Amino acid sequence: MTSLPTVLLVDDEEHSLASMRMTLEDDFECLTATNADDATRLMEENFVQVILCDHRMPGKTGIEFLSEVRKKWPETVRIVITGYTETNDMIAAINEAGVYQFLTKPWHPDHLLMVAKNASQLFQLTRDHDRMSLEMRFLARSVESKLETRRKELREGLGFEKVLRAPNSPMNAVIEQARKFASFDVPVMISGEAGTGKAQIARAIHYTSLRSDQAFYELNCVGLSDAMLQVKLLGAKRGTLPGVPTNKLGLFQKADRGTLFLNGIETLSDQMQLTLLRAAKEGTFEPLGGSETMTTNIRLLTGAPDDMSQRVARGTFNRDLYYALARVELNLPPLRSRIEDIAPLGQNILFELAVQHGKPVNGLSDLAIEFLSNYDWPGNLPELENELLRMLIAAQDAVLGPELISRHILQADPSLPPSVDQDADEVLSGEGTLKDRIEVIEMRILRETLTRLKWNKSRAANELGLSRVGLRSKLDRCGIRQPGSAPAEEEED
């Protein structure tokens, strides 16, 4: 059963208290007191929502008592009952006691009940408002905290921790240098071969920098005309572009206070180099179709090949722009220089592809990783991803073995470093006797065929047009044995 709201009635006249109690007792829990001291004790012992207090009483007046109530119990709604209407008393009651309403004597029972009910509703509404305000403040802090946590997770997920590498990887020194560059708000030129992960490093630099809470944009300039680059970078005023009735924001505006990564800057025309130089040095630009010079505060990160200094020396790239963009330079090693990373990179890429295409696998076999690690990967990370995708499509087992690897990769000997196991083109165009060069080619074909056929020698001999004895003789002469087995353990199929 819901309890009734509590009202405190204070009056030095007993018959007035009895009349008020009789009027209100059906709708309220009524407490009575004939003086301020008794009323104070009742306030300390009970949860009172409304006070109806006589103005003039012996000892403390009603205004003095209600002023004290206001300090100790400010939520309680205070009402003065008075037979006097002096202006000064009313002003004092409002200023000092924060009185909600005056009720003049003689009062009508219906009026008294209505005033008391309104005061009780005001009390409840005030408490609800305070509670909701507190909850909203808490929720706002909670949401902000969760948002900041999510931002932190996002920054970490896109930061340098995302760059997979082995404990002894050459990339470790590069990442350590990139971390230092990230904390300084200066342009960074990230150089290296195509496919070495320049965009990922640029993103990691941004999310580890002081601008990490701002936007990150990237644009590959390769293959884009000057007109397209101008629209994408500078934006365009309304009516400048056909079919676009509104202003179009460019990346110089969108990335303001954030980071802009431009890859393939070596392909920029002389005109676009000057446009970029102005933005890099002065932070100014003009949208297409506009005459107003606009400003931008962006951090420029750029991706370029290894020979940018040579291009500057030849005069094919603006010298001032090069020095404006390469305040510090970060060089990424090609995949062939970080063979240690093939295992973690290959396994991770394979699992991501498996999830993407809905084909679960348990990873790469050790021998498959050996073959993959011995290849030069001229196409770097994109070539590795393509190879793993082909292996995933062809796979029948949960663990992907070397028989799934492309033939040109299988022809590399996993027991030898790439510098020792010569490429076929080098053999054909190199020096040496005909016999020695033919033996190198023959070894590569034998190795590739046996690996692809899972060392089924009968099938290999049939495919190569050899007898089993002839195949065995060639394997013995070339010193080719099945990985993981001793000579005495090998058996004919």
Side-chain angles (χ1 to χ4, degrees):
M1 182 178 178
T2 305
S3 60
L4 296 175
T6 301
V7 60
L8 174 59
L9 311 174
V10 187
D11 199 312
D12 61 318
E13 297 180 0
E14 293 285 354
H15 70 277
S16 294
L17 287 177
S19 298
M20 287 191 290
R21 186 184 189 104
M22 186 179 300
T23 303
L24 302 175
E25 60 185 358
D26 289 339
D27 298 279
F28 292 89
E29 184 70 33
C30 296
L31 304 175
T32 59
T34 57
N35 56 69
D37 294 337
D38 291 343
T40 300
R41 284 193 294 271
L42 290 172
M43 286 293 297
E44 292 172 346
E45 297 170 358
N46 298 273
F47 179 53
V48 178
Q49 289 95 321
V50 181
I51 298 177
L52 289 100
C53 182
D54 188 22
H55 176 23
R56 296 190 176 181
M57 299 183 298
K60 290 182 182 177
T61 66
I63 300 304
E64 292 172 338
F65 166 64
L66 294 177
S67 298
E68 293 177 357
V69 168
R70 183 184 190 184
K71 296 177 182 177
K72 293 183 179 181
W73 300 280
E75 291 179 322
T76 303
V77 181
R78 300 166 294 278
I79 299 172
V80 170
I81 300 177
T82 180
Y84 307 91
T85 57
E86 290 88 346
T87 302
N88 291 337
D89 289 342
M90 296 175 66
I91 293 174
I94 295 172
N95 292 339
E96 298 174 17
V99 169
Y100 163 65
Q101 191 168 349
F102 287 90
L103 191 62
T104 58
K105 295 180 179 179
W107 42 262
H108 190 279
D110 291 341
H111 188 204
L112 178 68
L113 181 59
M114 182 186 68
V115 170
K117 284 184 175 180
N118 289 342
S120 176
Q121 291 176 359
L122 175 62
F123 176 88
Q124 189 59 47
L125 287 172
T126 302
R127 285 183 64 85
D128 289 343
H129 175 269
D130 292 343
R131 175 181 55 79
M132 292 178 66
S133 297
L134 182 62
E135 289 177 355
M136 290 299 294
R137 288 196 296 270
F138 172 77
L139 287 173
R141 288 194 298 268
S142 177
V143 169
E144 182 63 30
S145 176
K146 290 180 180 178
L147 183 59
E148 181 56 35
T149 300
R150 183 70 188 93
R151 286 172 177 165
K152 183 179 179 181
E153 291 173 351
L154 179 63
R155 289 193 294 266
E156 292 176 351
L158 297 173
F160 293 111
E161 294 77 8
K162 186 73 172 177
V163 183
L164 290 177
R165 56 198 186 277
N168 59 339
S169 170
M171 279 293 291
N172 291 336
V174 177
I175 296 301
E176 184 61 29
Q177 189 177 29
R179 287 184 186 276
K180 295 178 181 178
F181 292 165
S183 60
F184 288 83
D185 198 24
V186 296
V188 181
M189 181 174 287
I190 307 171
S191 60
E193 295 180 6
T196 50
K198 292 190 281 286
Q200 183 185 27
I201 295 298
R203 192 177 295 108
I205 289 175
H206 169 74
Y207 284 105
T208 315
S209 72
L210 297 175
R211 298 177 182 244
S212 61
D213 58 338
Q214 300 296 326
F216 173 81
Y217 290 92
E218 60 179 287
L219 175 66
N220 190 344
C221 303
V222 178
L224 296 181
S225 65
D226 280 6
M228 182 65 71
L229 280 171
Q230 287 176 338
V231 172
K232 287 186 174 293
L233 293 176
L234 307 177
K237 288 294 185 180
R238 180 176 54 192
T240 304
L241 301 175
V244 182
T246 59
N247 292 335
K248 182 176 179 60
L249 295 181
L251 290 176
F252 286 163
Q253 285 178 274
K254 291 180 180 179
D256 187 32
R257 296 187 300 162
T259 303
L260 175 60
F261 173 60
L262 298 177
N263 203 3
I265 59 167
E266 74 279 3
T267 64
L268 295 178
S269 67
D270 292 342
Q271 178 185 352
M272 288 308 302
Q273 289 182 38
L274 292 175
T275 299
L276 185 57
L277 175 62
R278 182 183 179 191
K281 295 193 69 173
E282 303 173 10
T284 59
F285 68 97
E286 292 177 2
L288 291 179
S291 58
E292 178 186 3
T293 299
M294 304 188 69
T295 60
T296 182
N297 175 18
I298 56 175
R299 184 183 189 182
L300 275 171
L301 306 179
T302 50
D306 294 324
D307 63 345
M308 288 303 293
S309 59
Q310 299 174 22
R311 292 171 185 261
V312 171
R314 294 195 301 266
T316 58
F317 195 82
N318 187 289
R319 183 179 300 273
D320 292 335
L321 178 58
Y322 172 73
Y323 289 117
L325 298 178
R327 298 293 297 277
V328 290
E329 191 167 355
L330 193 67
N331 184 258
L332 302 188
L335 198 52
R336 61 181 172 274
S337 298
R338 43 184 294 210
I339 295 300
E340 303 89 341
D341 299 338
I342 293 293
L345 280 171
Q347 299 282 22
N348 184 72
I349 292 173
L350 178 62
F351 289 137
E352 288 182 348
L353 290 171
V355 172
Q356 179 181 346
H357 296 282
K359 185 176 182 178
V361 293
N362 292 338
L364 298 162
S365 71
D366 292 341
L367 189 56
I369 292 175
E370 285 188 59
F371 275 102
L372 294 174
S373 299
N374 194 62
Y375 181 59
D376 275 352
W377 299 107
N380 291 299
L381 292 171
E383 185 182 6
L384 175 61
E385 182 174 345
N386 287 351
E387 180 64 27
L388 292 169
L389 177 59
R390 283 191 289 268
M391 292 175 66
L392 177 67
I393 292 172
Q396 299 295 323
D397 301 320
V399 177
L400 279 60
E403 68 279 358
L404 300 171
I405 299 175
S406 297
R407 300 179 72 167
H408 67 285
I409 299 175
L410 282 178
Q411 289 174 0
D413 185 352
S415 65
L416 297 175
S419 59
V420 176
D421 193 44
Q422 292 176 284
D423 182 85
D425 292 337
E426 294 179 5
V427 175
L428 293 174
S429 60
E431 298 179 354
T433 66
L434 178 61
K435 179 177 179 294
D436 292 340
R437 292 161 71 183
I438 289 176
E439 283 185 354
V440 171
I441 297 296
E442 190 176 65
M443 288 173 62
R444 294 170 65 92
I445 294 174
L446 288 169
R447 239 183 353 251
E448 178 271 321
T449 303
L450 284 163
T451 303
R452 176 167 45 83
L453 298 178
K454 297 185 178 181
W455 283 82
N456 187 317
K457 294 174 186 174
S458 297
R459 292 181 59 194
N462 183 61
E463 181 176 311
L464 295 172
L466 300 171
S467 66
R468 292 197 308 177
V469 175
L471 175 63
R472 185 170 194 173
S473 175
K474 288 183 178 292
L475 294 178
D476 290 342
R477 178 168 53 84
C478 296
I480 298 176
R481 295 185 179 87
Q482 183 174 355
S485 64
E489 297 174 344
E490 291 193 11
E491 298 179 358
E492 284 292 336
D493 297 316

